[in-house]
Amino acid sequence: MGLAVRAFRRLPPRLGALHAADILTARTRELRQVPRVPRAFEVRPAGEGDGPLLAQFFARSGQSPRTPSTEDACVMAVGDGAVQALEWVRWGPSEYVEDAPRLGVRFAFPARSCWLHNGRNLESDGLGPWGMVMGRLRPYLEERGVDRVFLQVSADNAYSAACHASLGFRRLGTVASLRLLRGRVVGLRRAGHGWSGVGEGPLDLGRLVEG
């Protein structure tokens, strides 16, 4: 799938595009933990007074500004007076719709679960400080009664998939959106199964796990 995505990137956007993402999941208790965070860093959820720190991170990293809320929490690694990495947590039951323009699907996830999104290091490649954030998520999520975690990574980003696998995630399935001229077809391939069409409603990740 990754090769196909890269091949379609050569097409002029007006002719068509193929976008695909692997849906990853893990039981909260299966998430691997970083035993100790280096003293130069502090991993914690963002609070009301962290607006200036987050604004600085967004300006330097090129991410769109976001604000922690009752729906989306932000867990960050702070070092040298700045946010070095962060990860956003959307609490279930809810839907994640920000990928719909690209993938043609909304992701619905149940109570006692969450959706991770828009994680990033400030500057370094690879795991870096972001790995510390992810390695300290388990106790944070367990305190809030979260049993299962979901997220998606681009199907052609093998390195990101490997990083998440090292943290305890497994692939639940793949979503692919093929657009040719004005038409679009969205398909789902569950791990170990063939492709099937995706309807108009949200993709229920709770049922996908059960199935």
Side-chain angles (χ1 to χ4, degrees), residues 28-173:
T28 304
R29 65 175 182 268
E30 297 169 349
L31 293 176
R32 295 188 176 92
Q33 298 188 79
V34 174
R36 292 184 60 187
V37 174
R39 292 183 180 181
F41 291 90
E42 178 187 14
V43 176
R44 60 175 176 82
E48 293 183 359
D50 290 320
L53 284 177
L54 290 173
Q56 182 187 54
F57 178 89
F58 297 137
R60 293 177 62 186
S61 68
Q63 279 196 324
S64 299
R66 294 175 177 270
T67 302
S69 65
T70 56
E71 184 180 34
D72 280 292
C74 176
V75 182
M76 56 189 191
V78 181
D80 195 24
V83 177
Q84 301 297 328
L86 51 72
E87 182 79 20
W88 292 89
V89 185
R90 179 159 299 179
W91 310 111
S94 185
E95 291 185 8
Y96 189 75
V97 303
E98 294 180 29
D99 292 319
R102 183 171 60 92
L103 296 174
V105 66
R106 312 190 314 272
F107 297 103
F109 45 101
R112 300 184 65 83
S113 70
C114 70
W115 178 269
L116 304 183
H117 61 98
N118 292 93
R120 185 167 181 173
N121 284 314
L122 177 61
E123 295 177 350
S124 62
D125 294 327
L127 287 173
W130 173 82
M132 289 188 291
V133 173
M134 297 295 287
R136 298 307 300 166
L137 277 180
R138 178 175 167 180
Y140 175 70
L141 298 178
E142 287 178 334
E143 289 174 2
R144 288 152 182 81
V146 175
D147 291 330
R148 182 172 288 278
V149 183
F150 298 96
L151 57 86
Q152 67 87 5
V153 298
S154 179
D156 65 338
N157 193 337
Y159 181 72
S160 179
C163 288
H164 283 88
S166 73
L167 294 164
F169 288 90
R170 65 176 178 86
R171 187 170 63 86
L172 184 59

